[in-house]
Amino acid sequence: MVLTGVRRTPPPSEGYEKMSPDRRTAVAAGSLFLLTEAAAIAGAVLYHPLLSAADGRLAQGADTRALLGVLCEVVLVVAVAGTGAALFPVLRRHGEGLALGYAFGRLLEAAVIALGIVAVLALVTLRRDAGAAAGADVALAAVHDWTFLLGPNIALGLNTVLLAYLAYRARLVPRFIAVLGLVGGPLICASAVAVMFGAYAQLSVAGSAAALPVFAWELGLAGWLIVRGFGPGSGAASRADGEVADPAGVRR
């Protein structure tokens, strides 16, 4: 007798190999890191005509470019917050306090960037209005510059150190990638302090050189997570938890 209407689930040899939750997390986190880099660079390029208008008047098309930059930075805010949320389930296995610190640190970084977005939107409004109060546009540009220093530099540097330390300790990625973060995080924080005290401009050769290790860390981390996923240490704590949680000692 032949049974009909019964769906047969193919074994792994006949179907496709299901992606594990950690592998999905790695791909999602890596993609978000790539998105942060692309959105940050695009936003900075698109903002330039607005922020560099020395006479306070908008060049033709500068406001449209600035609004496109705002959209890029909205994507940046979502991606920055998303990396903290995506990585939390894996990072908590290796230190819940540090994992929470990273997640909330990324939220803080995203909030500071959002404040800079509001400053740019207000600046666009003021520079469209010929009768705007003198000096208000300069103040708003300064607000954006300070949020750019505090968010994608100081907060980013601290968050980088937290994540790189956890990645190094748990061997989530090759250690040479984690070392880039351990070096780049403090370096970009130190550079931000130097900019704060007027040693050099943020968008300068020295400022760009100080940001290179963090840039390399995020690209290396993103590429590794997308292509290879987390290292073998990522699941060690979860396996140990599973053994403790199973009092009968039954392996499933």
Side-chain angles (χ1 to χ4, degrees):
M1 181 176 64
V2 179
L3 296 177
T4 59
V6 178
R7 298 181 66 182
R8 184 172 65 90
T9 303
S13 59
E14 295 180 39
Y16 60 89
E17 184 180 353
K18 187 177 180 180
M19 187 179 288
S20 70
D22 277 4
R23 188 72 184 91
R24 288 197 298 269
T25 296
V27 172
S31 301
L32 287 170
F33 273 113
L34 288 180
L35 190 57
T36 61
E37 295 293 344
I41 293 171
V45 171
L46 290 167
Y47 281 164
H48 182 71
L50 175 73
L51 298 175
S52 62
D55 59 0
R57 290 177 296 179
L58 283 174
Q60 186 175 4
D63 54 344
T64 301
R65 289 187 58 176
L67 293 175
L68 290 173
V70 164
L71 292 178
C72 289
E73 290 216 323
V74 169
V75 172
L76 175 62
V77 166
V78 173
V80 166
T83 55
L87 289 172
F88 180 74
V90 173
L91 298 182
R92 70 182 299 184
R93 302 171 192 165
H94 309 284
E96 188 163 4
L98 291 175
L100 279 171
Y102 180 72
F104 282 109
R106 291 298 263 181
L107 281 175
L108 175 62
E109 184 182 340
V112 174
I113 295 170
L115 180 60
I117 293 174
V118 174
V120 167
L121 288 172
L123 183 56
V124 169
T125 301
L126 278 178
R127 288 191 171 172
R128 282 174 173 174
D129 182 5
D137 57 345
V138 177
L140 287 169
V143 169
H144 173 269
D145 290 345
W146 282 111
T147 57
F148 189 65
L149 187 70
L150 295 175
N153 283 264
I154 292 179
L156 171 63
L158 296 175
N159 291 330
T160 295
V161 171
L162 275 177
L163 180 56
Y165 171 71
L166 282 168
Y168 183 91
R169 189 178 70 177
R171 295 182 180 271
L172 299 179
V173 294
R175 287 193 161 178
F176 76 90
I177 295 179
V179 167
L180 279 174
L182 290 172
V183 171
L187 184 60
I188 200 169
C189 284
S191 177
V193 172
V195 171
M196 190 180 299
F197 285 93
Y200 49 80
Q202 187 171 3
L203 298 178
S204 63
V205 174
S208 299
L212 277 178
V214 165
F215 181 71
W217 143 259
E218 291 201 343
L219 286 185
L221 176 66
W224 188 270
L225 291 180
I226 292 171
V227 175
R228 301 293 297 274
F230 296 108
S234 65
S238 62
R239 288 194 296 271
D241 291 343
E243 292 172 6
V244 172
D246 185 3
V250 178
R251 293 181 178 274
R252 295 178 176 83

